Amino acid sequence: MDNKRFILALALSFAVFVGWQMLFPQPAPKSNAPVQEQAVQQAQGEAPAPINPLAGENGEQGTPSPQDFVPTAGKDIHVETPLFRATFNTSGGVLERFVLRNYHEGIEAGSKQVDLIGAKSVSKGPLGVIIRRRGSENHTWLNGKWAYEGAEQISIGEGEKHVLVFKGRAAGFELERRLTIHSDSYLITEALTMVNLEERGTEAGVAFTAAAKSMTAEDNQYNPTRIAWLVNDGRSEEDDRETLQEEGVSAAGGLKWGAIESNYFIMSIVPNNPDASLFASVQNGIFRMAVDQSDTFQPGMSKTLETSYYLGPADRGLLASMPNDLDQAVNFGWFDPLAKPMLMALVFFNQYVNNYGMAIIILTIIIKVIFWPLSQKSYKSMDKMKQLQPMIQKLREKYGDDKQRLNQETMALYKTYKVNPASGCLPMLVQIPVFFGLYKALLGAIELRHAPFIEYLPGTDIVWLADLSAKDPLYITPIIMGATMFLQQKMTPSTGDPTQQKIMMFMPLVFTFLFLQFPAGLVVYWLMNNVLSIGQQWLITSKSSKKKAA
């Protein structure tokens, strides 16, 4: 195998890998199961109308029987815990704000804390309830009557919990929503008790909803806001906004959770019903999601439906303690089995150096040490190939027009000097999955969000690598990275034809341009890896020169 061609193929593969992800994100499979189920239900008679968050907010209000129920005007209930500040509206118990106290939008002093909801999302009913029966769809926060008794300012101290109780009437049901909030968790659990106030039994669909503003810029290729879900067949996601706006996504078949998420934050619904289904879409820039389940309600009988909501950081440690395998919301694709252990190592090193930039450098050194013998073998093979270049060039001049004869003579030359051209490539093949795993990990780790490395350019007050999840604002690291890559190319034996050599010398420029927009943490890793590779390559070349001199 021609080493130069392999390196060129590897470089181009990386460029294609990144470019393809940016331009053509893999579409998630869409389930038609909910539509099929609804068709069967409608054929049988009374059936809930399908939930479609793209539809209007209209719905029929059921006629409640006269009982002791006094609705109150909607007002805000403010809840504060050590982790977040939340504002609920008593009209349906919808969530108007959910502010994460430990996370800010930017690194600037006075930057706002992250609000997962956003003002424009409130009308879409985040944490609302939709009831479907006999072809009508009732958005209870709009068409129901609600009452609330309790304090309007609630502070939950460490180790405590509080239960918000919202009582209402909608779609012929008496409703009681009990939302339990814990001081030390981002998980909110709900018990919804429903009583059928009509004189006959009925089948009804009940959907718990979520709505959130886009968590990232629409053109953010490395960190898109997306819809993700987990069913019995596995995890899926969709981040193409055009698809979400025009078609939406649906899923059924053992739905464990659905989520609106970015690399760093997540708003999820975790049903306590294996028959629940999901529908999600984007409407006017707002991400919407409904997790629906159907049940039969006899007259005067009450039933309690349970679900949970997680609103908070995409922290793997926190998600691991959540129900229904919610930790799978953080997923690095094919390289997930490699990415997560390396992130664990990164967190471990940071505990001692208290700087994720240094932790990245330490991890890079350790990976380099682990693969040192393989790299050593590869570089030695390249050095042997370099020594044969004059003879290979003569063969090209002699048999340039006869490719078959040229290949035969070249292989005979390798055999005579006991050089295996593939020995320089195979060690590098083993390292490729590790590299891409670390690439995916550094691209999506919440630990690197707003984590500083070198906050100010040395000797100045100019902000530099103050956020490893953002690009280098001065473009210093990607330019140095490109220079080290160019130096590597100069040190690597030139085994290809002149055209290949020109393409290879052009690759550092391509990669520099590509890395200008990469998160600084990833550029630091690649730069450090290049420096170590140059050092290793220099050592081998130096030893080889000494042997020749002797």
Side-chain angles (χ1 to χ4, degrees):
M1 183 185 296
D2 191 312
N3 290 313
K4 205 69 173 181
R5 289 180 180 176
F6 175 78
I7 297 172
L8 175 60
L10 178 61
L12 292 175
S13 296
F14 175 79
V16 170
F17 174 80
V18 175
W20 185 268
Q21 285 195 324
M22 292 171 58
L23 298 175
F24 305 102
Q26 183 177 1
K30 300 175 180 62
S31 171
N32 294 321
V35 177
Q36 294 168 351
E37 290 175 4
Q38 290 156 5
V40 173
Q41 292 172 341
Q42 290 170 355
Q44 294 174 345
E46 177 184 354
I51 287 181
N52 184 354
L54 296 175
E57 307 295 334
N58 299 321
E60 297 179 7
Q61 181 181 334
T63 304
S65 60
Q67 294 185 20
D68 294 332
F69 174 77
V70 181
T72 58
K75 58 184 177 180
D76 288 342
I77 308 300
H78 303 281
V79 179
E80 185 167 346
T81 79
L83 298 178
F84 58 83
R85 295 193 303 275
T87 300
F88 295 85
N89 193 294
T90 57
S91 291
V94 299
L95 193 58
E96 294 185 342
R97 286 202 318 155
F98 198 88
V99 178
L100 305 179
R101 301 183 65 177
N102 298 326
Y103 297 89
H104 293 77
E105 293 180 358
I107 59 174
E108 303 81 9
S111 177
K112 292 182 180 180
Q113 293 171 326
V114 172
D115 178 11
L116 294 182
I117 304 300
K120 294 183 179 180
S121 305
V122 176
S123 64
K124 308 304 180 185
L127 266 68
V129 173
I130 298 174
I131 299 176
R132 302 175 295 118
R133 60 185 302 184
R134 289 196 296 274
S136 67
E137 183 175 299
N138 189 298
H139 297 244
T140 61
W141 63 92
L142 293 174
N143 302 301
K145 294 182 178 180
W146 292 89
Y148 168 82
E149 293 182 4
E152 296 181 24
Q153 300 286 338
I154 301 168
S155 180
I156 306 176
E158 189 171 346
E160 299 177 350
K161 69 177 181 179
H162 185 83
V163 181
L164 295 174
V165 181
F166 303 100
K167 295 183 179 181
R169 295 272 182 84
F173 285 94
E174 182 177 277
L175 310 172
E176 182 182 81
R177 302 189 66 188
R178 300 180 66 87
L179 302 175
T180 303
I181 303 172
H182 296 264
S183 65
D184 57 352
S185 177
Y186 293 101
L187 188 72
I188 299 175
T189 58
E190 173 169 6
L192 170 63
T193 300
M194 302 177 62
V195 179
N196 182 8
L197 300 178
E198 297 187 345
E199 296 181 354
R200 62 171 180 162
T202 183
E203 172 112 356
V206 181
F208 301 95
T209 69
K213 64 180 182 180
S214 179
M215 299 177 182
T216 57
E218 186 172 349
D219 60 350
N220 192 326
Q221 303 286 353
Y222 305 111
N223 181 18
T225 302
R226 53 192 175 267
I227 300 293
W229 62 92
L230 180 67
V231 294
N232 290 336
D233 292 338
R235 181 188 182 278
S236 302
E237 65 178 53
E238 179 61 78
D239 62 11
D240 184 74
R241 295 209 182 190
E242 185 176 344
T243 298
L244 290 171
Q245 288 172 356
E246 296 179 359
E247 305 174 27
V249 292
S250 60
L255 179 72
K256 293 188 175 182
W257 52 259
I260 302 167
E261 66 173 15
S262 67
N263 289 357
Y264 305 130
F265 301 105
I266 177 174
M267 181 181 190
S268 64
I269 301 176
V270 186
N272 188 26
N273 186 322
D275 297 323
S277 59
L278 167 81
F279 189 92
S281 64
V282 172
Q283 184 181 37
N284 299 325
I286 303 301
F287 285 76
R288 306 188 66 185
M289 181 172 63
V291 172
D292 173 59
Q293 55 190 12
S294 298
D295 214 326
T296 302
F297 298 86
Q298 298 299 329
M301 300 295 291
S302 68
K303 278 192 176 182
T304 299
L305 311 179
E306 297 180 344
T307 195
S308 300
Y309 310 91
Y310 178 91
L311 301 93
D315 184 297
R316 298 174 310 285
L318 295 176
L319 294 175
S321 63
M322 296 297 110
N324 287 16
D325 300 323
L326 188 57
D327 58 324
Q328 292 191 37
V330 178
N331 187 277
F332 300 107
W334 294 343
F335 304 101
D336 193 72
L338 289 171
K340 287 181 178 176
M342 285 189 281
L343 271 181
M344 292 173 61
L346 204 63
V347 173
F348 175 78
F349 296 136
N350 183 67
Q351 294 175 351
Y352 295 94
V353 298
N354 200 31
N355 184 302
Y356 271 105
M358 291 302 301
I360 290 172
I361 291 174
I362 293 172
L363 181 59
T364 307
I365 293 173
I366 290 177
I367 292 175
K368 195 66 179 176
V369 169
I370 292 174
F371 287 110
W372 187 275
L374 290 174
S375 299
Q376 197 86 343
K377 185 176 181 181
S378 177
Y379 290 139
K380 285 181 178 179
S381 176
M382 288 182 183
D383 189 60
K384 290 180 180 180
M385 291 288 292
K386 185 177 181 179
Q387 296 174 31
L388 297 180
Q389 285 313 296
M391 288 180 275
I392 293 176
Q393 184 59 37
K394 289 181 179 180
L395 291 176
R396 286 200 181 109
E397 294 172 358
K398 186 175 181 180
Y399 303 108
D401 296 331
D402 188 348
K403 296 295 183 183
Q404 184 176 357
R405 181 66 184 275
L406 176 60
N407 290 336
Q408 291 174 350
E409 294 295 333
T410 302
M411 294 308 296
L413 184 66
Y414 291 153
K415 187 175 182 180
T416 301
Y417 287 90
K418 298 180 180 180
V419 173
N420 182 1
S423 62
C425 305
L426 294 178
M428 301 177 80
L429 284 172
V430 179
Q431 303 178 53
I432 292 176
V434 176
F435 161 74
F436 281 124
L438 188 57
Y439 160 78
K440 295 290 288 185
L442 295 179
L443 201 60
I446 192 173
E447 289 84 356
L448 298 187
R449 184 180 185 271
H450 296 175
F453 178 25
I454 304 173
E455 292 191 59
Y456 299 96
L457 193 65
T460 73
D461 59 354
I462 300 174
V463 176
W464 188 26
L465 302 180
D467 182 1
L468 287 170
S469 68
K471 68 179 182 181
D472 182 342
L474 305 179
Y475 302 113
I476 294 174
T477 49
I479 291 174
I480 296 176
M481 186 280 302
T484 59
M485 192 172 180
F486 178 78
L487 182 57
Q488 271 189 290
Q489 296 293 347
K490 297 295 289 184
M491 296 176 66
T492 302
S494 300
T495 61
D497 58 42
T499 302
Q500 290 178 5
Q501 294 174 27
K502 289 178 182 178
I503 294 175
M504 288 299 298
M505 297 310 296
F506 187 68
M507 290 307 296
L509 181 62
V510 174
F511 271 66
T512 300
F513 180 78
L514 192 66
F515 272 62
L516 290 177
Q517 304 300 321
F518 269 26
L522 184 61
V523 182
V524 168
Y525 157 71
W526 193 293
L527 172 59
M528 189 63 192
N529 186 69
N530 283 358
V531 171
L532 294 173
S533 297
I534 289 171
Q536 185 178 14
Q537 205 164 341
W538 179 82
L539 285 174
I540 294 173
T541 304
S542 178
K543 288 182 179 179
S544 178
S545 299
K546 289 179 180 179
K547 283 184 179 181
K548 291 177 184 177

